[in-house]
Amino acid sequence: MEFENVILEKTDAVAIVRVNRPKVLNALNRKTMEELECVFFELKNDAQIKAVILTGSGDKAFIAGADIKEISGYQAGNGTQFAHYGQSVLALIENLGKPVLAAINGYALGGGLEIAMACHLRLASARAKMGQPEINLGVIPGFGGTQRLARLVGEGRAMELVLSGDAIPAAEALRIGLVNQVHPPEELMDKAWALAEKIAAKGGLAVRYAMEAVHHGLQGSLAEGLNLEAKLFGLCCATEDKTEGTSAFLEKRNPAFKDR
Ligand code: CAA
């Protein structure tokens, strides 16, 4: 399928999704969100794809937020609807069942940082800047920023970013745990690709259950999380991949996982 604002490339087990509106720093208008929804829905159901990289076109921005022109026309009703819709697209990414790596190649602001936080791993260019500047527009984050940011970096730091509207450089984002890695701009995609391929070579079921245990475990109590972990560990033990992985270790060879 051809899209206007999103480019999808697939190579073996890894897909790259590129938001492509460089003239407006890849701002997310409704059409782009709808295209992202289609693309991620396709990737969720594509058994060949085992990891996804999300990035932005051009060398200046990952995504500079939701489209401010569109936001300027919203009233209470369609504003709430827009936020719910954006949140549902980000939930699709978060619950994809395979890892999505954000390759943050420049500005990740507002909805841009929010979509990066719905990804499972974040790698940033040393030139990237990240923040929740919505307060400067008289609004608040609407795609989950008030919730995921606090869970990632703690309430105090999230509050500071959301209330000041300041953007922080990549090095600071690394220091506070907002991103996993920072790389020179020219190396970012290679590093993201290498990590995506490394994870794609693991057993897909174990990857899915590991993500589920970490992510959903954090939503409840420690006891609930440990219970979930034990159940998912048991499910792993029933897979062919577990037989293959343990046999390969004992036979001193590399495993060949089949995601079964
Ligand atoms: N929406 C629409 N257009 C945007 C945009 C956005 N979020 N961000 C940038 N653009 C457009 C600019 O209007 C400009 O267009 P023109 O050339 O037609 O004037 C073009 O992209 C280039 O931007 P600048 O000239 O501003 O570039 P700069 O280098 O001077 O500044 C920037 C870069 C600091 C990122 C600045 O563009 C900026 O502050 N952008 C807005 C960031 C923002 O507030 N994001 C939050 C949006 S609200 C949101 O996301 C709500 C939510 O939670 C869902």
Side-chain angles (χ1 to χ4, degrees), residues 200-221:
K202 318 278 182 204
L205 291 172
V207 168
R208 193 170 92 202
Y209 293 149
M211 292 195 307
E212 198 177 322
V214 172
H215 181 66
H216 292 288
L218 265 181
Q219 315 304 316
S221 68

Side-chain angles (χ1 to χ4, degrees), residues 9-15 43 46-51 193 197 200:
E9 298 161 46
K10 294 182 187 176
T11 310
D12 300 327
V14 177
L43 293 172
D46 185 339
Q48 300 301 312
I49 295 300
K50 296 182 68 179
W193 187 267
E197 279 204 313

Side-chain angles (χ1 to χ4, degrees), residues 48-255:
Q48 300 301 312
I49 295 300
K50 296 182 68 179
V52 180
I53 298 170
L54 174 66
T55 193
S57 281
D59 56 7
K60 197 167 165 185
F62 171 69
I63 295 166
D67 193 308
I68 298 171
K69 257 191 204 154
E70 282 189 359
I71 292 178
S72 69
Y74 286 147
Q75 301 297 319
N78 52 4
T80 304
Q81 201 184 36
F82 171 72
H84 275 310
Y85 176 62
Q87 289 174 8
S88 74
V89 177
L90 269 57
L92 172 66
I93 294 173
E94 192 165 55
N95 298 307
L96 204 71
K98 40 191 111 180
V100 183
L101 290 72
I104 303 173
N105 55 314
Y107 287 112
L109 300 174
L113 180 56
E114 289 170 304
I115 204 169
M117 291 191 292
C119 296
H120 306 97
L121 295 164
R122 282 158 292 283
L123 284 73
S125 144
R127 275 210 300 256
K129 287 206 169 138
M130 283 153 263
Q132 298 288 167
E134 289 90 342
I135 201 92
N136 300 327
L137 303 168
V139 293
I140 67 169
F143 290 176
T146 61
Q147 304 307 303
R148 290 194 182 90
L149 186 59
R151 282 167 171 77
L152 265 174
V153 303
E155 185 177 341
R157 287 192 174 111
M159 201 66 95
E160 188 177 345
L161 284 167
V162 169
L163 294 183
S164 70
D166 288 345
I168 55 171
E172 175 66 357
L174 181 66
R175 193 184 70 79
I176 65 174
L178 182 54
V179 299
N180 298 82
Q181 302 178 9
V182 176
H183 297 289
E186 63 282 5
E187 290 177 22
L188 177 66
M189 282 311 282
D190 285 350
K191 297 287 185 188
W193 187 267
L195 183 54
E197 279 204 313
K198 178 187 269 194
I199 301 170
K202 318 278 182 204
L205 291 172
V207 168
R208 193 170 92 202
Y209 293 149
M211 292 195 307
E212 198 177 322
V214 172
H215 181 66
H216 292 288
L218 265 181
Q219 315 304 316
S221 68
L222 178 62
E224 286 161 347
L226 291 171
N227 194 30
L228 175 67
E229 183 187 81
K231 275 191 191 147
L232 293 170
F233 183 83
L235 285 181
C236 288
C237 287
T239 64
E240 284 180 32
D241 280 351
K242 172 259 183 185
T243 307
E244 169 62 10
T246 51
S247 303
F249 177 82
L250 295 171
E251 292 160 16
K252 302 192 186 305
R253 61 176 173 82
N254 289 327

